[in-house]
């Protein structure tokens, strides 16, 4: 990674498994998977060095059985330059440093297509082991933010900055016990099983 890390990344087991599946499909020459993989690795790089701070903060939709994700942020990327909006998303959580002098933590929870089945956010809730109908008391510090995903950049940027400030001030908040630091994963270390198909992968973690 070219830039100095400004965050320590943690991955849920679900995120790591999805990344592994995308990486293996790319190594086997799947053209769509190659595009997803390259954009995904770039986005992870940018989350680590702080050049990516999200597309929009998430909200509490437990009232309609879609869960409380007020501590979650969605980042997007488009696998086709003709798309007006990203077709893939990452949901991640900003957390304070886990030790004195440490870097703030970003926990990568789920990655997938925006229109995937089962629903993207229901899979996110499952990764976080949350009941979709229960609002979380610990998320009350975020208030009741308005949904801004469809709004302009100024509205989204202001909402993201507010969410970030609140998240960093939440002393004692930790990644899931099942989540592991990115450094413990061996992404980008495998060789292609299909050297004659697809383009070579140009990035690794």
């Amino acid at each position: 990674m070219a830039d100095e890390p400004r965050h320590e990344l943690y991955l849920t087991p679900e995120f790591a498994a999805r990344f592994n599946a995308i990486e293996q499909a790319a190594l086997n020459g799947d053209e769509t998977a190659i595009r997803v993989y390259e954009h995904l690795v770039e986005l992870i790089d940018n989350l680590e060095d702080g050049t990516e701070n999200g597309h929009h903060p998430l909200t509490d939709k437990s009232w309609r059985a879609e869960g409380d994700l007020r501590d979650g942020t969605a980042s997007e990327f488009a696998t086709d330059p003709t798309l007006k909006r990203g077709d893939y998303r990452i949901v991640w959580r900003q957390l304070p440093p886990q030790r004195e002098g440490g870097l703030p933590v970003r926990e990568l929870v789920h990655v997938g297509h925006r229109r995937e089945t089962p629903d993207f956010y229901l899979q996110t809730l499952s990764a976080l082991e949350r009941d979709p109908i229960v609002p979380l008391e610990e998320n009350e510090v975020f208030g009741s933010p308005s949904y801004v995903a469809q709004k302009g950049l100024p509205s989204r940027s202001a909402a993201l900055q507010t969410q970030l400030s609140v998240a960093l001030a939440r002393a004692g908040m930790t990644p899931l016990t099942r989540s592991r630091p990115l450094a413990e994963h061996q992404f980008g270390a495998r060789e292609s099983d299909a050297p004659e198909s697809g383009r070579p992968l140009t990035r690794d973690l």
Side-chain angles (χ1 to χ4, degrees):
M1 298 179 183
D3 296 323
E4 188 71 20
R6 297 179 60 189
H7 303 88
E8 183 178 8
L9 300 186
Y10 275 68
L11 278 59
T12 65
E14 291 79 6
F15 187 98
R18 183 64 66 91
F19 188 102
N20 275 323
I22 293 169
E23 181 185 46
Q24 188 59 64
L27 290 168
N28 289 342
D30 184 295
E31 286 291 324
T32 299
I34 289 172
R35 291 195 300 273
V36 173
Y37 177 86
E38 291 181 338
H39 285 288
L40 178 56
V41 171
E42 182 177 14
L43 183 56
I44 292 172
D45 279 349
N46 293 341
L47 283 167
E48 185 175 50
D49 67 27
T51 56
E52 167 65 28
N53 290 303
H55 180 270
H56 62 277
L58 303 180
T59 58
D60 178 14
K61 295 183 180 179
S62 57
W63 55 276
R64 65 181 194 188
E66 294 181 9
D68 183 352
L69 290 170
R70 284 175 287 180
D71 57 337
T73 305
S75 291
E76 299 184 350
F77 60 91
T79 58
D80 184 335
T82 66
L83 294 174
K84 294 182 179 180
R85 186 174 176 184
D87 53 337
Y88 274 77
R89 280 180 177 160
I90 287 179
V91 168
W92 51 278
R93 299 197 303 158
Q94 179 72 66
L95 300 167
Q98 300 299 294
R99 57 190 177 279
E100 186 175 355
L103 295 173
V105 167
R106 288 180 168 180
E107 181 181 30
L108 310 188
V109 178
H110 181 60
V111 56
H113 197 280
R114 287 177 58 212
R115 305 300 183 191
E116 69 182 354
T117 303
D119 178 78
F120 179 90
Y121 290 120
L122 290 180
Q123 293 195 61
T124 300
L125 290 169
S126 177
L128 290 168
E129 300 178 334
R130 292 183 182 176
D131 189 323
I133 66 171
V134 177
L136 300 180
E137 183 177 352
E138 61 264 32
N139 279 350
E140 289 299 321
V141 293
F142 293 100
S144 300
S146 300
Y147 181 70
V148 297
Q150 304 292 342
K151 295 187 177 181
L153 182 59
S155 295
R156 289 189 283 109
S157 295
L160 286 166
Q161 185 57 53
T162 297
Q163 183 196 45
L164 176 65
S165 298
V166 172
L168 288 173
R170 292 204 303 166
M173 299 304 295
T174 64
L176 299 175
T177 56
R178 300 180 298 112
S179 295
R180 307 307 306 162
L182 174 63
E184 295 185 13
H185 295 275
Q186 298 298 314
F187 296 140
R190 292 176 291 184
E191 296 182 356
S192 174
D193 295 328
E196 300 302 323
S197 61
R199 295 178 287 107
L201 301 183
T202 57
R203 301 175 64 88
D204 57 25
L205 291 176

